[in-house]
Amino acid sequence: MKTQYLLGNEAIAYGCLEAPVDFVTGYPGTPSSEVVEVLRDVPDRDYYLEWSVNEKVALENALAAAWCGLRAICTMKHVGLNVAADALMTSAYTGVTGGLVVMSADDPFAHSSQNEQDSRCYALFSRLPCLDPSTIQEAHDMARDAFALSEQFSLPVILRPTTRVCHSKGDTVTGERARSTRKGEFHRDPRQYVVIPAHTRALHPKLNEKQPAIRKALVERGYNTAVIRGPLAVVASGIAAAYVQEVLPADVSFIKIGAYPVDEEWLAAQVSRHEKVLVIEELHPVVEETVRQVAKGVPVSGKKDGVVPYEGELSTAAVAAIMKSFGITPTQAYPAVAPVADLPQRPPILCAGCMHRPVFYAMRRVFRDGIYPSDIGCYTLGLQLGAVDTTICMGAAVTIGSGISHAGEERDVVATIGDSTFFHSGIPGLLNAVYNGARMVLVILDNRITAMTGHQPNPGTGVTVCGAAAPQVSIETICRACGVSWVETVDPYDLASLMATLRAAKEQPGVKVVIARQPCVITARRANLRRGRFEVDPGVCTACGVCIGFGCPAIEKRDEKAFITGLCSGCGVCAQICPAGAIRKETRTEGSR
Amino acid sequence: MSESFDVLLVGIGGQGIILASNILGEACIAEGRSVKGAETHGMAQRGGSVEGHIRIDGKFGPLVPPGSARLIIAFDMLEALRYAHFLAPGGTIVSNNRFVVPTSVYMQGAPVPDEAAIRERLSSRPLCVVDAEGIAGEAGNPLSQNVAMIGAASRFLPLKPASLLGAVEKLVPKKTVETNRRAFEMGRAAGERCGGGKAGA
């Protein structure tokens, strides 16, 4: 036993080591990514570990390992579970032999996500058990124990931390790492693993028959608890339970839901002992709907009567305000304060020297009235440069692009997608676009890494998560195999070539692919690639503002003229766009700033 | 007012806020105290405004409620002002003396914030301004600005300097321990001189 200051995701990884886990898969996605990375960094690994190309692939690999008797975890962000849902839903029918944990990290407030969906709904939908930690310690303990729970019921278990668990830190007690001793072995059993209708009709009732015992076990294991103290009760789940505990008066009952499905008999008995009940949870009213079903006349407040918001994230201060409006006086009062109003915003921005920026710049010039579907990655920040018109989900740049072209839109469609997103789910869309005769340009922004989530390697990088050499797949060859006859690769730092390539693409019929390739500036810097900085000659600069409009964070205005700061990474694109020829490679030895 | 001593670290993605908040967290562990914290990961780190919450002796939620921070450590003076409403009555702001103008200000041709005006707007609160870049440069490693800031703030923290320094030594790369130790000590000395009201919890 050891107390450490751990990130929630680190704590989950430590829980896996204590289980112990035998097989780890995942696709990077904020706020889930660190679990796999922490497990990668463990010395003397005795488990299998991979970054998979998407969440469906990750879950199916982990499911196979669990069928072979191994303990497996598969990590993803909440929207990844949509991609993996096909496998998830039927894995509840087939069940598992070894413990399988599906970690789906939710993101209330959409800090880094396209929506605020609630993974607990997938648990209800699939009838799989789901653990919902309220603290980092619980996240650790639940991860450690989830494998045994999965084996007890022969079902995958969903672990659903939220951003404020995954990316929070705290003093956490961890135990000893256990050693993996299992060797996977597949036992043929078609009635379990071949879900033809005749088999699946027999498997479905088995899944349903397991439910009452699961509900009881989750109370017996202490995940769902009640402390009865007075006529009013607060029911809370997930991190909201931690917020509630901070400000809950001593005479108010506290019913904590840490796992699903909730035992309705047990819950009804707790609720019935109160005059009224307040349910506080983030996102979907999963707990509230159950409480309302069993309340039998006890008034219930929550989202459905407008006391708790449906969207966004909660906080201690928000929970205190909710309690107050319900008629409970919180133990702490928080002042009503407002931020100063008139400050310039500081949104995230593409790095100085990022290869995406010149691509967006060139697209805007070559395709002046183009339509720009885009995708999920750092390059979504191209929105600020006016070069991102749509983003919905992984891979959809290609399919939204082909759909717009088929819809009768006559303007050029120029879609952008990153390398990892292309591997994830862009390829079927490209195949479809070619097959069905779309007219579009697809620009693949190939920086050879999954940058936004923290630089995880992918099939284009040439290494696996564990650092082993892997074949660098050729995006050019994939595109040609999909039937694209016009594929060109270009260096985005060479603006003249980039523009010429885009102009050539514009003239071609059908689906055209331009691959813009430069390593991510962050990985390049880590690899010690130094290009030398650029500087502005103030005597030549005409203060025209062209380079300022380029939007590079290394370019500032000083005394009305452009000035390049120490953030410059030497891509040199600004020197190519300056109409006065005022930007050149730095001649001074000292960095400016 | 919370029972925990709440600290908010603010700045810009890439300035080393996660390491700085880890230093505080590790120091709490070294002193056997409970601690909760939260931080910004993911895309927001790409040059965006970021925050790190640390609740020394915290037992529940990781987020510092607005109006409750006993100390704000700002790596950028503009961010100090952006988050100033998190400060509790009587709390102190320890801020770097520099700020980065958001690129969008130049792109949109908006008025560039002025240092004197930012200082003026911060001045109604106990304020300690230090030259983290200067200190880090003098200590021998420009990357140690975050450690210099923690040094400057250490006088206002309910943690022993030895615990903080121990955490610095544990968390920074081995070959930079010496320069970071210097940055911490020089930062601490600058903190002693910078005003900001009464020291300690």
Side-chain angles (χ1 to χ4, degrees), chain B residues 17-47:
Chain B
I17 289 201
I18 291 180
L19 177 71
S21 67
N22 285 348
I23 291 168
L24 302 192
E26 288 291 345
C28 291
I29 298 288
E31 295 189 6
R33 305 165 77 154
S34 66
V35 55
K36 298 287 172 272
E39 53 201 33
T40 313
H41 286 238
M43 186 163 72
Q45 281 199 286
R46 299 272 178 274

Side-chain angles (χ1 to χ4, degrees), chain A residues 116 118 120-121 281-287 289 303 310:
Chain A
E116 295 184 302
D118 191 325
R120 296 175 303 164
C121 296
E281 64 196 309
E282 290 180 325
L283 305 182
H284 194 83
V286 171
V287 174
E289 282 172 356
K303 296 174 195 279
Y310 274 92

Side-chain angles (χ1 to χ4, degrees), chain A residues 121-132:
Chain A
C121 296
Y122 270 112
L124 301 183
F125 191 19
S126 61
R127 307 210 85 185
L128 292 174
C130 173
L131 305 179
D132 188 10

Side-chain angles (χ1 to χ4, degrees), chain B residues 9 11 29 39 47 70 123 134 194:
Chain B
L9 295 100
I29 298 288
E39 53 201 33
R70 312 271 279 273
S123 64
C194 72

Side-chain angles (χ1 to χ4, degrees), chain A residues 419 423 448-449 456-465 467-473:
Chain A
D419 48 335
F423 296 135
R448 310 260 94 187
I449 204 85
Q456 293 81 9
N458 66 43
T461 311
V463 289
T464 69
V465 64
Q472 259 186 320
V473 304

Side-chain angles (χ1 to χ4, degrees), chain A residues 373-375 390 393-402 413 415-417 440 442:
Chain A
S374 191
D375 223 301
T390 71
C393 61
M394 294 286 283
V398 191
T399 40
I400 294 292
S402 59
V413 175
T416 46
I417 190 170
M440 63 184 289
L442 178 64

